[in-house]
Amino acid sequence: MSIRSLYHTARGLQGLATAEYESPSTPSLRRRLWLWRRGFVSQSDAVYELEEATSEEYLSDYQRYVRTKRINGTWSVALSNKLLFHRVLQPFADRRMGVYGMIRDGTFHAVDSSAVCRELPDGGPAVSASADGDRETATDAYNAAQRVVERLEDEDRLVLKWVHGGGGNNVYLCHRIDDGYQVNDDHYTEAAFRSLVAGLDEYLVCEFVDQGSFAADLYPETPNTLRIITMYDEVANEAFIATAIQRIGTADSAPLDNFTQGGLSAEIDLETGELGAGAQPPDGDGVEWHTTHPDTGTPVEGVSVPGWDQIREQILEIADTCSFVPYIGWDVIVTGSDGAFRVIEANSYPGLKSIQVHGPLLADDRVRRFYERTGVC
């Protein structure tokens, strides 16, 4: 085993141990030993209701934390580095979110911005020229806090996300309000907000993608994303969708829609786009199932993702183009009623509790063959 493989195995085992330590479920020691021998942490037992006869149909936590990390190999960086991923999606620019720039150690570096820095002919200080012809000194042009404040003056909302982050961590949803700024659920004065931005390092300044009425109606207080897992079938030479869910935020998970933080996961019928009931992670002994949203009463079960056929086909087209990365968990926001969507980000080893709460992945023969070919099981 290479040093790189040993490193990732060690990191995976560390993640597995942390997941067990942080699990809110407390089965008996005898039950825990039964779970550990099969590669599961305690929380999975509460989500999956594991039994001897069916436990081998679930992808275990050990397989997820340790082995799925190896599937994409060195190309996993194409997903884990959000700026690189943004570049990978260049052929599908209309389907990706805008990235205005990156913050590094308090300075702003343009990515999709029209700002261009140059030297004055007489050797004077560098200036920036924006689309409207305004000229500023280099100090202003590269000051991250200033650039973010200016962008918020134009657009009211944006997202700051760590280049290397995942799982909804290290994400700041920023909103300009009358008396300052709202970041996630916290209020900031302008001075405090500028200080926050100035202290960030390797954060992307991203467009806030407005979700369409379908997603907003599910729960208006959070972005509500699709999680679509694609796998590349090397025998058929094509990508396929293994599974898909609609994630829906709640008062527990706000300002995000993460299942592990209390959001809902509703399975999507891959043929019709229809949602099943929404599962909510256990705050005790078992999963709660909701046919309507627990906070608003909005219907969940039976509603359909608008333009699902178009979304499914284009995600497959993008996944085929990225065949060198065979295992991808796509996060998608539906922005219109005709199949319009934006890819927010992608994951190289997506979490599986929000997926397998609806049933074991390995019960699908094509999915099992993929995991077997890639050495996961």
Side-chain angles (χ1 to χ4, degrees):
M1 183 179 288
S2 67
I3 293 176
R4 182 178 184 276
S5 295
L6 284 171
Y7 170 77
H8 285 294
T9 297
R11 288 292 301 274
L13 291 172
Q14 182 183 30
L16 189 66
T18 300
E20 177 60 39
Y21 177 77
E22 295 178 348
S23 173
S25 300
T26 55
S28 67
L29 178 59
R30 180 178 181 181
R31 181 63 175 176
R32 287 192 181 196
L33 291 173
W34 185 91
L35 293 167
W36 294 344
R37 284 197 298 270
R38 290 158 180 79
F40 294 97
V41 299
S42 300
Q43 179 70 354
S44 294
D45 197 28
V47 174
Y48 305 151
E49 298 182 356
L50 294 164
E51 298 177 0
E52 187 71 51
T54 60
S55 62
E56 292 187 358
E57 293 187 335
Y58 287 89
L59 202 72
S60 72
D61 295 300
Y62 174 82
Q63 290 168 323
R64 186 258 163 170
Y65 276 96
V66 176
R67 295 182 178 173
T68 64
K69 284 188 175 183
R70 304 171 185 166
I71 294 176
N72 293 327
T74 57
W75 284 105
S76 63
V77 70
L79 306 184
S80 60
N81 186 304
K82 292 179 174 61
L83 181 54
L84 177 56
F85 176 67
H86 183 71
R87 299 302 195 197
V88 168
L89 284 192
Q90 179 62 46
F92 303 93
D94 60 332
R95 295 304 188 192
R96 63 182 184 174
M97 70 189 305
V99 176
Y100 304 124
M102 183 172 70
I103 300 169
R104 289 195 65 190
D105 196 24
T107 60
F108 181 88
H109 302 266
V111 176
D112 291 341
S113 172
S114 60
V116 179
C117 292
R118 63 182 187 274
E119 293 290 333
L120 287 177
D122 62 3
V127 299
S128 68
S130 60
D132 58 9
D134 290 340
R135 294 161 66 84
E136 299 173 296
T137 67
T139 300
D140 290 331
Y142 287 110
N143 184 292
Q146 180 65 24
R147 281 303 190 197
V148 171
V149 165
E150 289 174 355
R151 179 64 66 174
L152 279 169
E153 288 176 355
D154 292 336
E155 301 191 11
D156 287 334
R157 293 176 181 266
L158 55 74
V159 181
L160 304 176
K161 56 170 64 176
W162 191 38
V163 171
H164 309 287
N169 299 317
N170 303 307
V171 175
Y172 297 100
L173 304 182
C174 305
H175 182 202
R176 185 170 63 87
I177 55 179
D178 290 340
D179 59 346
Y181 300 87
Q182 181 174 311
V183 181
N184 295 341
D185 287 330
D186 299 320
H187 176 265
Y188 283 74
T189 64
E190 180 170 337
F193 180 70
R194 285 177 177 268
S195 178
L196 170 69
V197 175
L200 299 178
D201 188 39
E202 295 199 342
Y203 269 72
L204 298 183
V205 182
C206 303
E207 169 191 18
F208 184 94
V209 177
D210 288 315
Q211 58 191 356
S213 59
F214 162 76
D217 288 347
L218 290 171
Y219 189 64
E221 302 303 318
T222 65
N224 302 300
T225 57
L226 308 182
R227 164 58 62 85
I228 302 173
I229 295 183
T230 61
M231 302 175 175
Y232 194 80
D233 188 333
E234 293 182 352
V235 176
N237 291 317
E238 65 178 11
F240 68 96
I241 294 178
T243 187
I245 59 170
Q246 172 71 62
R247 300 191 297 192
I248 307 168
T250 66
D252 292 333
S253 71
L256 301 174
D257 60 357
N258 291 30
F259 178 76
T260 55
Q261 296 172 7
L264 304 183
S265 166
E267 186 176 23
I268 300 173
D269 185 300
L270 297 183
E271 293 300 319
T272 66
E274 184 175 306
L275 304 188
Q280 193 168 28
D283 189 16
D285 294 331
V287 174
E288 294 183 14
W289 293 90
H290 302 275
T291 59
T292 59
H293 195 282
D295 299 318
T296 66
T298 302
V300 173
E301 185 175 19
V303 302
S304 295
V305 179
W308 170 249
D309 289 346
Q310 292 88 335
I311 295 172
R312 179 186 60 203
E313 294 311 309
Q314 183 135 41
I315 287 293
L316 285 172
E317 180 184 354
I318 300 172
D320 274 325
T321 302
C322 299
S323 60
F324 55 92
V325 190
Y327 185 53
I328 304 177
W330 305 90
D331 289 345
V332 172
I333 284 188
V334 180
T335 58
S337 60
D338 57 352
F341 68 90
R342 295 284 194 93
V343 175
I344 301 304
E345 62 182 54
N347 301 271
S348 189
Y349 56 103
L352 296 177
K353 286 185 177 59
S354 62
I355 300 293
Q356 292 191 122
V357 69
H358 302 289
L361 274 171
L362 300 181
D364 184 303
D365 289 339
R366 195 178 192 187
V367 171
R368 179 183 284 274
R369 287 195 299 270
F370 172 82
Y371 283 127
E372 288 174 345
R373 284 198 305 272
T374 54
V376 174
C377 58

